[in-house]
Amino acid sequence: SVIVSCEISGAGAEPTVTWKDAGSAVTGGTVNDDPWVSQGGTLLSKLTVTGVTSTKDFTCIFDVGGNEVSTVATANIVSIAAVGTTVYTGSTSSITCTLSNAQADPDLISWKNSGGDS
């Protein structure tokens, strides 16, 4: 599943939130909104969808007292491929991992063994 989110701040009243996919209401997704914070007028909305296999835009629409504000939340789908290798006792080898379709360079890449150690 994929989670996209959008946030409004400075709203004078609690907004209602609608999520759209290509102009139609999102069906089959789950919306989880954080609690409304009246001080600051902030609401964070999170949409969880399944079946997204390529980068996709969702539109988040906040309605505050009849005034609509919208933004696009993009689900950036990346591909990670690990290439395994056979290592014989006493020899050295390397393991590679390829990240494809990333919108930006990763901040951190970590390798962990099956026990969870780095």
Side-chain angles (χ1 to χ4, degrees):
S1 64
V2 174
I3 300 172
V4 290
S5 63
C6 64
E7 183 176 39
I8 189 170
S9 61
E14 183 172 357
T16 57
V17 183
T18 305
W19 284 92
K20 292 195 174 184
D21 174 8
S24 299
V26 172
T27 57
T30 304
V31 177
N32 290 304
D33 295 337
D34 282 359
W36 164 246
V37 180
S38 58
Q39 192 174 38
T42 303
L43 179 71
L44 176 66
S45 183
K46 294 170 277 199
L47 171 68
T48 304
V49 290
T50 58
V52 178
T53 57
S54 61
T55 298
K56 187 172 192 165
D57 291 336
F58 294 92
T59 303
C60 172
I61 303 167
F62 290 103
D63 184 318
V64 183
N67 296 311
E68 289 187 350
V69 178
S70 65
T71 190
V72 173
T74 301
N76 292 313
I77 307 301
V78 298
S79 175
I80 300 174
V83 179
T85 187
T86 301
V87 179
Y88 298 99
T89 303
S91 64
T92 59
S93 186
S94 62
I95 302 171
T96 61
C97 179
T98 304
L99 175 66
S100 304
N101 301 327
Q103 301 298 311
D105 290 337
D107 293 328
L108 174 68
I109 297 175
S110 298
W111 288 87
K112 297 191 181 282
N113 65 26
S114 59
D117 299 325
S118 297

